[in-house]
Amino acid sequence: LEPDLLQFIPRPVTAVVFLFPVTEKYEQSRREEEERIRKEGQTVSKDLYFVRQTIGNACGTIGLLHALANNTEVLQLGDGALKHILEKTKAISPDDRAGFLEDDKDLASVHEASSQEGQTAASSAEQDVDTHFVCFVQRDGNIYELDGRKPFPINHGPSSDLLLDAAEVIKTFIARDPDQLNFTVIALAPKQEEED
């Protein structure tokens, strides 16, 4: 997460997906953050796509959905489940989007198929897991944390370089639980051109 090493990542980075351990320190911080924002408020871009996560153990799918849905201007979506979901949910609330996803058979089959393709055994929807995925995107000059477990997106302030700014926010997650090791960062970036 050091700036000089992050310079090797092709730009522009359009989303950052972050996996981290859910600990009591994190949960306490999450509750305090929510309370502070409810009291003080925050600015949230009207162009931000956010969905609540009400499906168990689907945080990776929701994180990827956030990454892709907030980048439709740079991605070409073919016909399929994702395009269908975005068309049906773009004009409804985050809670209504969650309800739609709960009932959407296409998402369920895609989620099930992709979760079985990994190198480790997939968790069942009812199983307790101790890690969680969130997504960071940039909208209207600000960096947003999109976490479907939270009631709203979190505006982390002005951003001129999504990757560098997301790294700074991610460092606060790591500093909160320095004894934890289960952290992973993935950047949605353009394919790097091969040199001759």
Side-chain angles (χ1 to χ4, degrees):
L1 297 174
E2 295 310 312
D4 54 335
L5 295 176
L6 293 176
Q7 294 306 319
F8 289 101
I9 306 296
R11 299 296 203 284
V13 169
T14 56
V16 175
V17 178
F18 176 49
L19 175 71
F20 62 94
V22 175
T23 66
E24 184 49 45
K25 289 179 184 176
Y26 165 74
E27 291 292 357
Q28 179 63 33
S29 176
R30 181 180 62 80
R31 288 186 293 268
E32 291 168 0
E33 176 183 62
E34 182 179 333
E35 185 179 326
R36 178 185 52 78
I37 291 172
R38 288 192 189 278
K39 284 182 183 175
E40 299 173 9
Q42 67 173 345
T43 301
V44 175
S45 171
K46 64 178 177 43
D47 296 324
L48 194 64
Y49 184 97
F50 176 70
V51 61
R52 296 289 313 274
Q53 179 189 334
T54 55
I55 302 169
N57 291 339
C59 61
T61 299
I62 298 298
L64 289 174
L65 180 61
H66 281 138
L68 300 173
N70 283 290
N71 285 290
T72 57
E73 68 278 0
V74 295
L75 300 173
Q76 300 215 352
L77 300 178
D79 289 333
L82 179 61
K83 189 172 184 179
H84 166 77
I85 289 166
L86 295 180
E87 287 173 353
K88 295 289 186 181
T89 63
K90 66 182 172 186
I92 60 177
S93 74
D95 289 322
D96 290 341
R97 289 174 181 152
F100 178 89
L101 294 180
E102 287 176 12
D103 297 332
D104 189 71
K105 303 297 183 223
D106 289 337
L107 178 67
S109 65
V110 169
H111 174 71
E112 181 65 24
S114 64
S115 68
Q116 300 306 317
E117 290 178 6
Q119 296 176 352
T120 58
S123 302
S124 72
E126 298 77 31
Q127 185 178 353
D128 280 338
V129 293
D130 62 355
T131 55
H132 184 59
F133 285 96
V134 298
C135 178
F136 295 93
V137 297
Q138 193 178 53
R139 274 288 174 270
D140 300 331
N142 289 300
I143 182 173
Y144 289 93
E145 174 188 338
L146 305 175
D147 179 346
R149 289 181 63 219
K150 294 182 178 181
F152 35 72
I154 306 300
N155 184 336
H156 285 284
S159 175
S160 58
D161 184 313
L162 175 61
L163 183 61
L164 294 178
D165 297 328
E168 291 305 311
V169 176
I170 289 167
K171 287 177 187 179
T172 66
F173 280 71
I174 295 170
R176 184 173 35 240
D177 284 300
D179 296 332
Q180 296 291 325
L181 301 175
N182 296 329
F183 298 99
T184 302
V185 181
I186 305 166
L188 180 59
K191 183 177 178 181
Q192 191 167 6
E193 298 296 325
E194 294 183 26
E195 296 181 22
D196 293 328

